[in-house]
Amino acid sequence: WRGDGGQEGIPRSSHASFSDNLLASMGASFASTLCVHPLWLLKSRLEMQTFESKSAGWVQYGGWWDCLRTIVRTEGPMSLYRGLGPALGLVPHAAVQLLAYEEIKKRDRRVEGVPLNPIKPFLWGAASKFAASCIT
């Protein structure tokens, strides 16, 4: 049989369970934090540069590449993950938001053949962010 959109083996009504969505959202939040944290560190270091910090003798970077090279060379590559603990504290927030979004989307009543109103995903996202902010 052919499922949704002509793809073989995917039933139109298949939805992941609540626990599957929870596990997937926690994993995705954790993985994205691990990938993005070094970029947050570089951004923070570059934002800290001011005239006052220069006169105080703080390291001044010539851009993101210079910042990355300097940190790795002088502090070691693992220093790119300084402050990771508090950042991982945000994982439940992102997981709740993803989970809420999927649950809201799952409960939406779609009519076959009618295109999705583009405002719906916006509203789902706003509601899921609100839920995550309230819960975490």
Side-chain angles (χ1 to χ4, degrees), residues 2-124:
R2 294 182 72 80
D4 198 27
Q7 297 175 351
E8 299 229 8
I10 302 174
R12 196 171 295 133
S13 64
S14 71
H15 292 293
S17 70
F18 181 84
S19 60
D20 287 345
N21 272 338
L22 178 62
L23 197 60
S25 62
M26 289 291 283
S29 299
F30 183 80
S32 65
T33 299
L34 288 180
C35 292
V36 173
H37 188 76
L39 299 175
W40 288 339
L41 180 91
L42 294 176
K43 177 183 167 287
S44 297
R45 294 274 183 106
L46 290 168
E47 287 177 339
M48 295 286 292
Q49 296 185 132
T50 63
F51 179 75
E52 292 81 15
S53 67
K54 185 176 183 176
S55 63
W58 290 15
V59 176
Q60 298 294 299
Y61 304 106
W64 72 269
W65 182 248
D66 180 49
C67 183
L68 176 65
R69 280 192 339 228
T70 303
I71 291 171
V72 170
R73 193 177 327 118
T74 59
E75 302 173 40
M78 291 309 294
S79 64
L80 293 171
Y81 286 94
R82 279 201 181 135
L84 181 62
L88 288 175
L90 296 174
V91 165
H93 178 85
V96 168
Q97 183 177 356
L98 287 170
L99 182 63
Y101 184 88
E102 287 301 318
E103 290 299 314
I104 293 167
K105 183 173 80 171
K106 195 187 312 184
R107 285 166 174 68
D108 182 60
R109 304 275 186 232
R110 295 238 8 235
V111 177
E112 182 104 16
V114 176
L116 177 66
N117 182 339
I119 196 72
K120 280 189 173 184
F122 170 78
L123 294 173
W124 299 338

